[in-house]
Structures are given as structure tokens and as C-alpha cells.
């Protein structure tokens, strides 16, 4: 299994332009959970989920991006200013604590295993 993973990773190439194009093709719907979390602070989780679901459905039906639909919704716009929307729809801001977790795993992997005795 490790050999197969190594083989797969050896051929892996990051294509930032293709990744950006895929995100754009999703019209912002990939950020719906981040928007829900942001709105949960002021609305509570169930109400935020219901609001984002309604806005997503409307945006999808109207063939619009989620960000534009959020900006046009009075309830969402009252809680998410343009700067907040900018942050929520920035892929770089959506990595959470991934870097810290990766660093911790690599540090454990690189450190010598403790000897039992």
C-alpha cells in the first residue's frame, strides 16, 4: 500500500491554474459551509444552515454565483460585509489549521521512535 501511495504521489503535479478554474466553475458553492459557520455566530447554527440553503437553492436556480446571491440577500448582507465575503471566498483563508497539523505530523514522523525497554 505504501508503495502504491508513493507511486501515486510521484506522479502528482499541482496545477494552480486548473485548481482555480475548478473553484470558479463551482460558482462559490464550495464555500457554503464557511458561510454557514460565519453566519452561525449571529443566527445560530440551524438558522444559518436554513438561510444558506435557501440562498444556495435560489442562486442555483437563477444560475448565479453564491457570493452574488449572498450580497443580494438582505439578511445575509446585514451580517456579512464585503470584506467578510472576500475572506470567506478566498481559498487561501479556508485551510484552517491544516498547516499546523501537517507540521505536527511531519515532526512526529521525522523524530526517532522512542525505545521501549
Amino acid at each position: 500500500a505504501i508503495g502504491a501511495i508513493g507511486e501515486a504521489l510521484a506522479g502528482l503535479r499541482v496545477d494552480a491554474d486548473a485548481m482555480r478554474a475548478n473553484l470558479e466553475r463551482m460558482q462559490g458553492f464550495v464555500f457554503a459551509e464557511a458561510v454557514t459557520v460565519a453566519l452561525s455566530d449571529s443566527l445560530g447554527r440551524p438558522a444559518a444552515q436554513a438561510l444558506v440553503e435557501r440562498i444556495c437553492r435560489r442562486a442555483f436556480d437563477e444560475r448565479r454565483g453564491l457570493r452574488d446571491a449572498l450580497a443580494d440577500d438582505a439578511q445575509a448582507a446585514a451580517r456579512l460585509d464585503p470584506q467578510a465575503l472576500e475572506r470567506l471566498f478566498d481559498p487561501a483563508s479556508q485551510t484552517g489549521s491544516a498547516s499546523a497539523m501537517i507540521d505536527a505530523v511531519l515532526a512526529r514522523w521525522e523524530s526517532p521512535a522512542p525505545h521501549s525497554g
Side-chain angles (χ1 to χ4, degrees):
I2 292 173
I5 291 171
E7 232 178 272
L9 291 176
L12 184 64
R13 299 289 177 261
V14 175
D15 185 338
D17 292 334
M19 292 169 69
R20 173 71 64 189
N22 285 335
L23 284 173
E24 288 173 5
R25 203 171 9 262
M26 293 297 297
Q27 294 187 299
F29 291 101
V30 71
F31 300 110
E33 180 64 18
V35 171
T36 300
V37 170
L39 289 171
S40 293
D41 292 341
S42 61
L43 295 174
R45 183 76 178 180
Q49 286 176 315
L51 175 62
V52 172
E53 183 178 327
R54 179 178 55 77
I55 294 170
C56 282
R57 193 174 301 119
R58 189 180 75 235
F60 183 80
D61 289 347
E62 295 173 358
R63 299 182 187 269
R64 304 177 62 203
L66 178 57
R67 186 176 180 166
D68 291 340
L70 285 163
D72 289 346
D73 184 89
Q75 190 176 8
R79 289 166 174 82
L80 299 171
D81 62 35
Q83 293 79 21
L85 285 175
E86 184 70 29
R87 282 189 308 277
L88 289 169
F89 284 81
D90 175 9
S93 72
Q94 298 304 318
T95 59
S97 56
S99 292
M101 288 188 281
I102 290 168
D103 290 344
V105 168
L106 290 175
R108 272 187 267 143
W109 182 72
E110 291 171 346
S111 68
H115 298 286
S116 60

